[in-house]
Amino acid sequence: MIASVFGGLRRRPLTAFCVGLLTSVAAQAASAANCPGHPDAIGTSRTIVVDPRAHPIIGTMQYAKTLPLADREVVLTFDDGPLPKYSNEILDILAAHCAKATFFLVGRQASENPEGVRKVRDAGHTVATHTQNHPVGMDRLPLDRSKQEIEQGIASVTAALGDGTAPAPFLRIPGLRVNNGIEEFAASKGLQLWSADFPADDWRDVSANRVYELAMQRLERKGKGILLLHDIQPRTVAALPRILHELKVRGYRIVHVVPATPDRPATPTEPQQWLLHPPSEVVATSRWPKVPKFASAGPAALPVPALSDLDWHTTDLGVRAPRRGRGVPLPPAALWPRQTALPPAGTLAALPVPAASLFKLQESARLTMLASFARRAASTAQARSTEVSSAKLAGKSRRHDRAAAAQPSASAGPAAQLPQSAGETAPKPAAQAKRNGRSVRVAGLKKR
Ligand SMILES: [Zn+2]
């Protein structure tokens, strides 16, 4: 449908502007009005065009960045198909709602059911890939194997499409088990690596009602985002109509995502729109109120901070992120600036009390901080030696480290809900962090 719209633009350049306006207006009203025979359909409110090369990794379950969605916008994604028995039912349900989604197809499934791939395409959904054989634990495979899986998956889906077109350059790794090599390879191939913003655990042995509950609860918590589902699960088939109905009732809107092409430029966005919750002027984050001027008879120049001002062990919270965070932006400044000189005794009572909201961290900073905690938990032995040295520098650090180390296990919860197909074993976050040191992913999971 999009292609035909743009094809029309090419043929009638003089009317391009008017057509563009009509198209965007129509997109807003597309929801239920354009879903004949289905007055209660949620519809698809708009289509966004994304450039994988500009944004190679997305999804706040693992990364700081995600799709540039407005509040209450949801992107539906389905993994592991096509499997005719259930995938066809999912397609029927989506059709009844005129809701467009992105399908991450498994190459082997595509070869076995090429007609299923074409059905997804012909229904107007985005066809993406999910490796050839859906290997478990790709982060532990030799990189060459992973590359092969990715490329074969694309080749199989391309063959199944059968019209010379390729799938969208969107890739999701089974179980989200990525590593640096996979990320770099995907980026080098111009693939956009999709994580998700929230799963509904539909690959686990839970009821359809539980899938519905998790989808809605986790969405409400984030306010928008990419929902990860599986079109090969009967419980997903059972839960999807209720999810779509409830999304509409609660005022959510479905957004369809397609890749940019030479003929179809990316939807213009600002960098901060790719953060789940961009910094806001009305929410205090890392800003600090002006330090009141203290009456002082001291020198006009500010004192140079002493080395001891910098030795608190958590000052490395932002420093560790760049290597591990893969795009997690650093806080613009130290999060907890400390006073270098105390006011004279007796004036303390006059100081303003900072509001609790000032201590709210922005999304990226919190990820960074949690990542640091998880890393500490993962390398206990290392942490112990750090504790010893830290303790020499600051008496409080030992207690702090212990609290931080205890946190991941306390919040690991139900297997940390890593999205994997049935039969895969979800690793515990701490174990995973220990194995590969990729603590940002663990932090993202912890947030839910
Ligand atoms: Zn999968």
Side-chain angles (χ1 to χ4, degrees):
M1 193 167 88
I2 295 300
S4 65
V5 168
F6 280 86
L9 291 182
R10 279 200 306 277
R11 284 192 297 274
R12 296 189 300 273
L14 289 176
T15 56
F17 180 69
C18 295
V19 173
L21 273 181
L22 288 173
T23 304
S24 63
V25 170
Q28 296 299 320
S31 307
N34 282 359
C35 200
H38 301 281
D40 295 329
I42 186 168
T44 300
S45 70
R46 67 178 181 126
T47 298
I48 57 173
V49 185
V50 299
D51 178 1
R53 292 195 183 271
H55 302 281
I57 51 175
I58 53 167
T60 51
M61 283 179 68
Q62 293 172 285
Y63 306 109
K65 290 170 75 177
T66 190
L67 290 171
L69 301 175
D71 280 345
R72 306 192 92 73
E73 286 189 335
V74 179
V75 169
L76 302 172
T77 64
F78 295 90
D79 290 7
D80 296 0
L83 188 67
K85 185 173 182 188
Y86 300 117
S87 299
N88 288 344
E89 290 191 74
I90 294 287
L91 288 175
D92 289 345
I93 295 165
L94 292 174
H97 276 268
C98 295
K100 301 297 183 216
T102 298
F103 285 76
F104 291 90
L105 305 179
V106 173
R108 197 171 58 188
Q109 303 267 70
S111 299
E112 289 172 14
N113 307 289
E115 193 188 339
V117 178
R118 295 192 285 271
K119 275 186 181 172
V120 172
R121 176 199 60 196
D122 296 343
H125 303 293
T126 298
V127 174
T129 62
H130 193 44
T131 74
Q132 174 66 13
N133 297 295
H134 202 278
V136 186
M138 260 178 80
D139 54 335
R140 288 171 292 158
L141 286 184
L143 185 56
D144 281 347
R145 264 287 312 280
S146 295
K147 290 179 179 177
Q148 210 176 24
E149 280 289 338
I150 293 167
E151 288 182 324
Q152 283 184 357
I154 294 170
S156 295
V157 173
T158 302
L161 285 169
D163 60 355
T165 63
F170 300 162
L171 169 71
R172 185 177 273 152
I173 296 298
L176 308 183
R177 300 279 289 268
V178 296
N179 57 28
N180 287 338
I182 292 171
E183 287 172 356
E184 286 161 12
F185 176 69
S188 76
K189 303 287 283 184
L191 298 168
Q192 188 171 51
L193 198 54
W194 284 49
S195 180
D197 291 316
F198 52 99
D201 295 10
D202 59 338
W203 70 96
R204 295 171 62 206
D205 186 19
V206 298
S207 68
N209 186 54
R210 185 65 182 147
V211 170
Y212 158 80
E213 285 176 351
L214 288 172
M216 297 311 301
Q217 286 168 6
R218 289 169 178 169
L219 170 57
E220 290 282 347
R221 210 173 300 164
K222 290 202 167 178
K224 58 181 173 179
I226 307 165
L227 170 58
L228 169 58
L229 294 169
H230 296 78
D231 56 316
I232 61 165
Q233 300 289 350
R235 64 181 69 85
T236 311
V237 172
L240 186 59
R242 198 171 163 205
I243 291 173
L244 293 173
H245 174 76
E246 193 65 18
L247 286 176
K248 176 165 187 178
V249 167
R250 297 192 195 183
Y252 288 97
R253 301 177 303 282
I254 301 295
V255 172
H256 185 207
V257 187
V258 297
T261 65
D263 295 334
R264 189 171 59 195
T267 303
T269 54
E270 296 295 326
Q272 65 267 22
Q273 290 177 265
W274 293 79
L275 301 174
L276 187 70
H277 297 294
S280 162
E281 284 300 314
V282 295
V283 177
T285 52
S286 60
R287 288 184 293 279
W288 196 256
K290 280 185 179 176
V291 177
K293 287 181 182 172
F294 303 119
S296 169
L302 288 172
V304 176
L307 198 59
S308 59
D309 289 323
L310 306 171
D311 68 1
W312 192 39
H313 66 284
T314 51
T315 51
D316 66 357
L317 282 176
V319 179
R320 290 187 177 185
R323 290 195 313 278
R324 299 286 176 191
R326 303 174 308 281
V328 176
L330 283 176
L335 295 173
W336 297 282
R338 59 183 58 72
Q339 292 168 218
T340 53
L342 286 173
T347 62
L348 283 170
L351 287 176
V353 179
S357 61
L358 292 172
F359 293 89
K360 271 190 174 176
L361 299 182
Q362 62 189 55
E363 186 84 10
S364 58
R366 199 163 52 208
L367 277 173
T368 304
M369 184 169 71
L370 292 171
S372 177
F373 286 170
R375 275 192 84 229
R376 285 169 188 280
S379 50
T380 311
Q382 215 177 335
R384 279 198 192 110
S385 68
T386 307
E387 276 184 326
V388 171
S389 55
S390 295
K392 289 176 188 166
L393 296 169
K396 291 179 192 171
S397 67
R398 179 181 295 272
R399 192 173 56 216
H400 186 92
D401 276 358
R402 204 173 298 136
Q407 198 166 344
S409 59
S411 61
Q417 295 140 1
L418 258 186
Q420 292 166 314
S421 288
E424 292 178 23
T425 310
K428 287 202 168 82
Q432 186 181 358
K434 187 171 187 175
R435 186 161 53 246
N436 57 25
R438 306 184 62 77
S439 35
V440 169
R441 180 174 325 123
V442 175
L445 291 167
K446 276 180 56 183
K447 280 161 50 48
R448 295 198 311 279

